[in-house]
Amino acid sequence: EAEVAQSPRYKITEKSQAVAFWCDPISGHATLYWYRQILGQGPELLVQFQDESVVDDSQLPKDRFSAERLKGVDSTLKIQPAELGDSAMYLCASSLTDVVDTQYFGPGTRLTVL
Amino acid sequence: QKEVEQDPGPLSVPEGAIVSLNCTYSNSAFQYFMWYRQYSRKGPELLMYTYSSGNKEDGRFTAQVDKSSKYISLFIRDSQPSDSATYLCAMSLVRSGNTPLVFGKGTRLSVIA
């Protein structure tokens, strides 16, 4: 069964350092999402891509976060500089189209900022 | 008040019990309702999806939506230890397009053998 791949699975960094997370969606999935899930909370959308274009990044803290999906396939989410409050699970999801009930989530990257 | 409220639990039940998980919401424009299951250290996986009011059954799982009360429920019959996970409700204004899912906090369920 096809899955969304994410790496690394765990990342520990110090505040003010730069971190990057990678996501490889299910093959053929045009829509890709990055979510942040703080411990004890539900996921919150950071950015949504349709192919290589950003369609929603209204909740992305653009002063420190950036996301790209250059060839419309895999994607990278970067934080620079990391802050203590960025400690969370970063989830990537993909779907064939932008239909809400067809999102498949990856296992996530657990970020700890010290 | 958050758009979607969900009791975080934790909820602990014996094996075989009927489990009821609930969410309330404030935005009456939500039309699509989903339940996700999230095991520890994993991403959420979609369990059930319903549109508007009514019931939907899938095996041991039943999803119920009451739009007049802005209340949704997930029932698990004959609960098993493998059902131990966090259950997240999520909702959307439309089925497709540039409208994000709004998630509840999740309810942590433990089914004790």
Side-chain angles (χ1 to χ4, degrees):
Chain A
E1 184 177 303
E3 294 182 339
V4 176
Q6 289 188 248
S7 67
R9 293 293 312 277
Y10 303 92
K11 179 70 178 178
I12 300 174
T13 192
E14 293 186 345
K15 64 179 181 179
S16 78
Q17 296 298 303
V19 292
F21 314 129
W22 177 78
C23 171
D24 191 12
I26 293 171
S27 178
H29 279 197
T31 310
L32 186 146
Y33 312 80
W34 283 101
Y35 289 86
R36 177 170 59 187
Q37 185 177 22
I38 295 169
L39 191 64
Q41 305 287 325
E44 292 183 316
L45 181 70
L46 291 174
V47 61
Q48 177 181 341
F49 289 92
Q50 183 67 32
D51 299 308
E52 67 275 8
S53 300
V54 173
V55 295
D56 184 359
D57 63 357
S58 56
Q59 300 303 311
L60 189 71
K62 298 182 189 64
D63 56 337
R64 297 184 301 106
F65 285 63
S66 64
E68 60 183 18
R69 193 184 184 199
L70 292 175
K71 296 182 180 179
V73 181
D74 59 337
S75 176
T76 302
L77 178 70
K78 296 178 181 177
I79 309 175
Q80 182 173 18
E83 295 181 352
L84 295 177
D86 296 331
S87 294
M89 174 82 88
Y90 290 83
L91 293 161
C92 179
S94 72
S95 60
L96 194 60
T97 64
D98 59 1
V99 174
V100 293
D101 54 291
T102 62
Q103 293 184 32
Y104 291 86
F105 283 83
T109 296
R110 168 72 67 189
L111 173 66
T112 301
V113 182
L114 302 176
Chain B
Q1 181 192 14
K2 295 201 74 135
E3 275 193 294
V4 179
E5 299 279 1
Q6 184 176 8
D7 187 337
L11 183 61
S12 185
V13 301
E15 183 176 358
I18 296 174
V19 176
S20 172
L21 304 166
N22 312 294
C23 287
T24 58
Y25 61 95
S26 56
N27 189 346
S28 57
F30 283 132
Q31 299 278 2
Y32 296 87
F33 305 92
M34 283 138 284
W35 286 96
Y36 286 82
R37 177 175 61 195
Q38 186 173 22
Y39 290 115
S40 182
R41 301 186 185 88
K42 297 286 181 70
E45 57 176 327
L46 182 66
L47 271 180
M48 303 279 291
Y49 150 71
T50 54
Y51 165 67
S52 200
S53 286
N55 291 0
K56 184 174 183 179
E57 192 172 314
D58 184 1
R60 296 184 295 110
F61 298 89
T62 299
Q64 196 171 77
V65 174
D66 181 348
K67 289 197 72 184
S68 62
S69 302
K70 301 194 194 77
Y71 188 87
I72 68 171
S73 300
L74 178 71
F75 297 97
I76 307 173
R77 291 184 298 281
D78 187 25
S79 55
Q80 303 295 310
S82 59
D83 295 327
S84 298
T86 296
Y87 290 81
L88 297 153
C89 64
M91 29 200 97
S92 178
L93 300 175
V94 296
R95 190 162 181 232
S96 64
N98 183 19
T99 302
L101 285 175
V102 181
F103 284 85
K105 286 184 176 183
T107 299
R108 190 151 50 101
L109 171 68
S110 294
V111 181
I112 311 300

